[in-house]
Amino acid sequence: MHNRDIIVIGGSAGASAPLKDILGRLPADLPAAVFIVLHIPAHGIGILSTVASAAGKLPVRQAASGMVIENGHVYLAAPDHHLMIHDGHIMLGRGPRENLVRPAIDPLFRSAALHYGPRVIGVVLSGLLSDGAAGLNAVKRCGGIALVQDPQDAISDEMPLRALETTTVDLCIPGARLGDVLSDLVRERAGAMLPIPPEIALEVKIAAGDRIGSDTLTDVADPAPLTCPACGGVLSELKASYPLRFRCQVGHAYTADALAKDQEGRVDEALRVALRIIEERAELVHRMALDGRQSGRAAVAEMYERRAVEYREYADMIRRVMLQSLDPKPPARKEP
């Protein structure tokens, strides 16, 4: 029987403070290995030294493919690679981005759930959108323990909230308490292995970089009338997925809120382009109207003046829509 010797931690905006608290409270003889994914840019620097200074008693290493997993060590995801674990070793994947990022939290959590099942403790910290929610659900489905930073304690509460909505977590506590709780949980015996849902194994292969075809995807997803923002391919809705998620045939993956956030930015960009074109059109027909007046063509001038007024009205309409999208009205409260 194994103890719970695999700790996987994911965070984004606002995760530095609770992560520092966690690592600072873990003992030097920790009978477990710790794996961390933070959303970092492809060429991010300095994050390794930051985490290492917070860890104190535990050595921190940037993950590399083939690295042997050792208890009492902290492994940090490398920029632009998904961090995964398998058979006592670390594996870095260059599979498609998930929720617009690589490294993403979900691939780490899924790989841990797939290969270590009840030995896994998953932790979701502060962050935006919902990366980590699906992965924590996979940890729980495979018999692991699910912990979430209390949203009221998080600088960015979206990731903790999405995790709580998706999974019946074992503990939801402030970041300052997570380190002590983990120190106790790793000394507990893990339960028996549970059957692994096939979609979890498939998504681990995708993150590793394995090719995904339409035939494979149809086993776990249904086509949806939506377009992948990254490659323009058709998205499919994953059948047994919590939260609501989509993948394209290339493998790009999105939770519904990440997809909506990307679409929001594209809509705003399209509106700005449309506004520029219409304003330029209004200016052009205005000049054509002036030219008609100067050349004595009154009827032509009046026609272009009417068009200039119409185009400016269209421009004002688009401008109002843009302002409303930036400052949407809150939903109306129902009277009791």
Side-chain angles (χ1 to χ4, degrees), residues 217-218 221-226 234-239 246-247 249:
L217 192 60
T218 54
D222 295 318
L226 297 169
V234 175
L235 286 173
S236 295
E237 179 183 337
L238 291 161
K239 297 174 184 177
F246 302 87
R247 274 195 186 271
Q249 293 182 6

Side-chain angles (χ1 to χ4, degrees), residues 23-41:
L23 296 179
R25 292 177 177 273
L26 295 179
D29 62 345
L30 184 75
V34 182
F35 304 86
I36 300 170
V37 170
L38 299 175
H39 290 167
I40 53 178

Side-chain angles (χ1 to χ4, degrees), residues 26 55 57 96-97 107 146 155 167 175 189 196 225 232 247 254 260 278 282 287 298 302 318:
L26 295 179
K57 305 170 186 175
R97 296 177 184 274
I155 293 175
T167 303
R189 291 295 182 185
I196 303 297
R247 274 195 186 271
Y254 306 89
I278 291 176
R287 290 173 181 265
E302 290 177 2
I318 292 175

Side-chain angles (χ1 to χ4, degrees), residues 307-318:
R307 289 187 181 179
V309 171
E310 290 177 3
Y311 287 135
R312 289 195 175 99
E313 289 176 350
Y314 295 153
D316 289 340
M317 184 185 303
I318 292 175

